[in-house]
């Protein structure tokens, strides 16, 4: 059980925390939980770094560029800290997330302005670590024996409401798959599933605060496993059934999945649950069986395509998205062609693509046949051109259809809303159609690379991120 009731009432916020988040949705979720935990300790969230007493960088270690960005940001924040030294508002700087876990003490050695380094497994201890950091730098990158979720209070209604009608809910963390390119098994540790009752409690708190759509998160979310009250073994498909039965829930999603864990109960959930949105993020990473083997993926390209076929049989309108890596060690022109071919055969609605980035400590970094950077760049451009065509075609196919849209937030102008289609596209529409939190029927009249426009929405939709970009700060994981 969560220990919400044991917590003292939050103090009136006197200090402010600014959290900058990189990386996957799990980091986005962690940032909200850190913010909630600190609020109980008197820190109100702020969206301006200059306004903060505590700055936290919640970091990603997945590719080299992501980690380097942390250090360049720290350099700039140090200057802010220096201007505050000796005033009555000294600045405390913390690094959390996967770079914190991977580099620990090294961060403080490289950047002395940092006061605390806290890994993803121990952020429930943040309030006390912040306090201790007043007397010297603190590093906490333990894999805590206690379950951090047991120690985090359920989010308060007010906190959830401030974030809108969609919410993330981490149900599983860590990874045991050990793909040879990936740091996750080292930074986030072994696969751990949160218990069913704990997840349902958190989901109820979200729904009670007005959340309509919950996205279940996990580095390997479809490896989630648990037991129900009778001791029956459950998989993610069963969990989705339990959540779908909660009164008030309108939409469910989950991300990110591994082909090896695409169990029957999950595929059947796509057939049986209307509130499970027709969207599956299922990374394959490469199309060549030789490369898949050397990546230690544990499946072939044929296995992947057969899963995609089964999922499409269960839910014909499902949108498939994925992740691709180009230039893994040993990738020849023919191997890359196999990647292009699996993309053609899968026909993605959206897909993230990356140049292989060598990560110290992973088996990939030890491989001798590294691919030339210029070759990676050229392959990525070709792959992204194909993915972009597929994404545009998927969006264009929505024109002329009437679709259900969850109204999420104000658009660019006072007469517009932005909503979400079942297939995760942004939809621009007129406010006359409903209110935030409503699910309304929208006639799609136009499509762009990343968004749709509903009838009556006159102005161009806002530019949104390019899902095939290498430099995005929020990726799927
Ligand atoms: N280099 C490039 N891309 C990577 N990913 C994970 N590790 C690496 C790496 N070393 C990609 C994978 C994964 C996504 C979240 O990031 O495609 O699915
Ligand atoms: Fe695990 Fe995904 Fe990384 Fe593979 S890519 S090791 S499945 S987190």
């Amino acid at each position: 059980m969560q220990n919400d009731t044991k917590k003292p009432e939050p103090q009136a916020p006197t200090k402010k925390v600014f959290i900058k988040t990189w990386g996957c949705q799990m980091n986005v979720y962690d940032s909200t939980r850190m913010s909630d935990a600190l609020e109980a300790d008197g820190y109100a969230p702020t969206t301006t770094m200059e306004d903060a007493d505590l700055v936290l960088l919640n970091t990603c270690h997945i590719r080299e560029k992501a980690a380097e960005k942390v250090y360049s940001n720290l350099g700039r924040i140090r200057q802010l800290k220096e201007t505050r030294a000796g005033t009555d508002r000294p600045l405390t700087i913390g690094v959390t997330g996967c770079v914190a876990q991977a580099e620990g003490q090294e961060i403080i050695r490289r950047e002395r302005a940092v006061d605390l380094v806290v890994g993803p497994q121990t952020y429930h201890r943040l309030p006390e670590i912040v306090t201790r950091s007043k007397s010297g730098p603190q590093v906490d990158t333990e894999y805590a024996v206690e379950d951090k979720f047991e120690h985090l209070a359920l989010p308060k209604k007010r906190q959830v409401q401030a974030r809108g009608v969609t919410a993330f809910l981490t149900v599983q963390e860590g990874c045991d798959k050990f793909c040879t390119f990936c740091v996750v098994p080292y930074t986030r540790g072994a696969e751990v599933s949160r218990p069913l009752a704990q997840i349902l409690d958190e989901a109820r708190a979200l729904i009670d605060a007005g959340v309509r759509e919950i996205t279940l998160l996990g580095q390997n979310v479809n490896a989630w496993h648990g037991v129900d009250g009778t001791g029956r073994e459950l998989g993610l498909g069963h969990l989705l059934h339990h959540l779908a039965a909660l009164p008030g829930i309108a939409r469910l999603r989950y991300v990110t999945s591994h082909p090896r864990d695409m169990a029957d109960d999950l595929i059947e959930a796509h057939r049986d649950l209307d509130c499970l949105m027709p969207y599956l993020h299922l990374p394959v990473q490469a199309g060549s069986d030789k490369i898949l083997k050397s990546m230690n993926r544990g499946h072939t390209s044929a296995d992947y395509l057969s899963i995609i076929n089964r999922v499409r049989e269960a839910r014909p309108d499902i949108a498939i998205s994925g992740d691709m890596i180009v230039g893994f060690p040993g990738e020849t022109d023919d191997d890359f062609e196999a990647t292009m071919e699996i993309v053609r055969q899968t026909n993605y609605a959206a897909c993230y693509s990356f140049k292989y980035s060598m990560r110290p400590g992973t088996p990939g970094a030890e491989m001798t046949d590294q691919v030339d950077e210029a070759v990676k760049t050229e392959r990525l451009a070709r792959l992204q051109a194909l993915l972009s065509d597929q994404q545009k075609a998927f969006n264009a196919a929505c024109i002329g259809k009437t679709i259900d849209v969850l109204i999420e937030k104000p658009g660019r102008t006072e007469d517009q809303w932005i909503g979400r289609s079942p297939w995760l596209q942004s939809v621009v529409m007129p406010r006359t159609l409903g209110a935030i939190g409503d699910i309304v029927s929208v006639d799609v009249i136009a499509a762009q690379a990343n968004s749709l426009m509903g009838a009556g929405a006159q102005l161009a939709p806002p530019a949104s991120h390019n899902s095939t970009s290498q430099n995005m700060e929020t990726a799927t994981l």
Side-chain angles (χ1 to χ4, degrees):
M1 284 298 293
Q2 306 266 332
N3 58 358
D4 197 20
T5 48
K6 283 182 245 154
K7 278 250 165 194
E9 270 303 297
Q11 310 161 12
T14 51
K15 297 162 284 180
K16 292 193 178 154
V17 56
F18 171 85
I19 307 182
K20 185 169 166 72
T21 310
W22 283 274
C24 61
Q25 293 96 332
M26 303 208 41
N27 266 12
V28 175
Y29 172 86
D30 288 350
S31 291
T32 63
R33 301 309 308 264
M34 288 192 252
S35 175
D36 293 351
L38 286 163
E39 200 172 332
D41 217 47
Y43 281 91
T46 172
T47 51
T48 328
M49 191 183 295
E50 287 67 27
D51 194 30
D53 303 273
L54 170 63
V55 170
L56 294 178
L57 302 185
N58 194 15
T59 61
C60 171
H61 202 236
I62 196 98
R63 283 168 291 274
E64 193 182 357
K65 266 190 188 166
E68 280 311 314
K69 270 193 200 158
V70 175
Y71 286 105
S72 62
N73 267 263
L74 280 174
R76 283 200 296 277
I77 304 167
R78 184 199 329 119
Q79 291 169 7
L80 180 62
K81 181 168 176 157
E82 283 164 1
T83 65
R84 295 274 198 83
T87 71
D88 59 354
R89 285 194 74 202
L91 184 67
T92 303
I93 305 178
V95 178
T96 61
C98 293
V99 176
Q101 186 65 41
E103 305 209 346
Q105 191 73 42
E106 172 67 11
I107 296 176
I108 292 175
R109 201 192 59 73
R110 252 179 96 169
E111 183 49 79
R112 293 200 169 274
V114 172
D115 300 285
L116 53 110
V117 175
V118 177
Q121 306 308 332
T122 43
Y123 64 72
H124 56 291
R125 298 183 195 149
L126 250 180
E128 59 175 275
I129 297 169
V130 172
T131 307
R132 282 210 310 267
S133 74
K134 308 284 177 239
S135 49
Q138 301 292 314
V139 177
D140 190 345
T141 53
E142 301 267 294
Y143 286 110
V145 267
E146 75 267 19
D147 171 9
K148 75 171 171 246
F149 293 110
E150 285 279 339
H151 291 262
L152 289 166
L154 283 172
K156 306 268 177 306
K157 202 167 189 166
R158 178 181 41 78
Q159 293 167 328
V160 177
Q161 281 167 343
R163 297 183 190 122
V165 293
T166 61
F168 291 137
L169 199 176
T170 291
V171 300
Q172 179 280 338
E173 283 197 86
C175 181
D176 292 338
K177 301 286 190 298
F178 289 96
C179 297
T180 51
F181 52 81
C182 190
V183 286
V184 166
Y186 312 96
T187 53
R188 291 268 176 169
E191 274 175 16
V192 178
S193 295
R194 289 179 71 184
L196 176 67
Q198 205 184 68
I199 295 168
L200 293 177
D201 280 348
E202 192 167 325
R204 280 191 206 97
L206 295 173
I207 296 165
D208 187 43
V211 165
R212 308 294 323 275
E213 175 178 301
I214 296 179
T215 301
L216 307 182
L217 300 180
Q219 266 98 23
N220 249 265
V221 71
N222 61 342
W224 182 88
H225 56 95
V227 284
D228 67 11
T230 67
R232 186 169 76 115
E233 296 274 334
L234 307 175
L236 185 65
H238 305 113
L239 172 61
L240 287 162
H241 274 273
H242 278 271
L243 288 161
L246 296 178
I249 188 73
R251 290 179 160 191
L252 290 168
R253 303 179 184 277
Y254 61 95
V255 73
T256 183
S257 297
H258 193 288
R260 265 158 61 192
D261 293 317
M262 217 52 223
D264 291 347
D265 65 294
L266 184 52
I267 296 179
E268 283 157 16
H270 277 288
R271 183 193 62 202
D272 299 334
L273 291 176
D274 286 341
C275 70
L276 179 57
M277 290 296 96
Y279 191 98
L280 172 64
H281 183 75
L282 193 67
V284 65
Q285 313 293 358
S288 144
D289 287 341
K290 179 192 92 186
I291 296 294
L292 288 171
K293 188 159 195 291
S294 145
M295 285 177 163
N296 191 34
R297 292 287 296 173
H299 61 79
T300 62
S301 58
D303 295 335
Y304 180 80
L305 290 169
S306 130
I307 295 166
I308 297 295
N309 278 340
R310 286 176 56 218
V311 172
R312 284 197 164 125
E313 271 165 29
R315 184 76 205 234
D317 67 338
I318 199 159
I320 305 293
S321 80
D323 294 335
M324 288 290 171
I325 295 178
V326 300
F328 186 75
E331 185 187 77
T332 61
D333 285 343
D334 283 351
D335 294 322
F336 175 66
E337 279 313 317
T339 291
M340 294 290 276
E341 187 51 29
I342 203 167
V343 168
R344 281 184 210 104
Q345 294 201 26
T346 305
N347 195 13
Y348 288 99
C351 187
Y352 297 87
S353 50
F354 312 98
K355 286 194 242 182
Y356 171 68
S357 165
M358 206 203 277
R359 306 309 288 127
T362 61
E366 307 298 316
M367 294 181 186
T368 49
D369 38 6
Q370 299 289 330
V371 174
D372 205 69
E373 207 49 35
V375 174
K376 287 186 201 170
T377 304
E378 189 266 331
R379 287 179 185 165
L380 185 68
R382 281 181 55 207
L383 174 61
Q384 292 195 339
L386 173 60
L387 291 172
S388 162
D389 285 349
Q390 292 189 346
Q391 184 165 338
K392 281 187 202 140
F394 183 84
N395 290 348
C398 295
I399 299 172
K401 289 188 183 155
T402 302
I403 63 172
D404 287 344
V405 179
L406 170 60
I407 303 179
E408 277 187 2
K409 57 186 177 193
R412 268 195 182 166
T413 62
E414 283 192 350
D415 54 0
Q416 283 181 347
W417 291 131
I418 304 282
R420 244 336 124 192
S421 80
W423 308 281
L424 216 51
Q425 298 131 308
S426 283
V427 184
V428 184
M429 58 191 163
R431 290 204 182 177
T432 47
L433 288 182
I436 289 177
D438 289 346
I439 295 178
V440 296
S441 289
V442 176
D443 298 325
V444 179
I445 54 161
Q448 298 202 344
N450 296 295
S451 58
L452 305 177
M453 201 188 305
Q458 300 300 337
L459 295 168
S464 62
H465 72 284
N466 171 7
S467 70
T468 56
S469 158
Q470 253 251 310
N471 295 319
M472 74 206 161
E473 294 203 343
T474 300
T476 50
L477 181 64

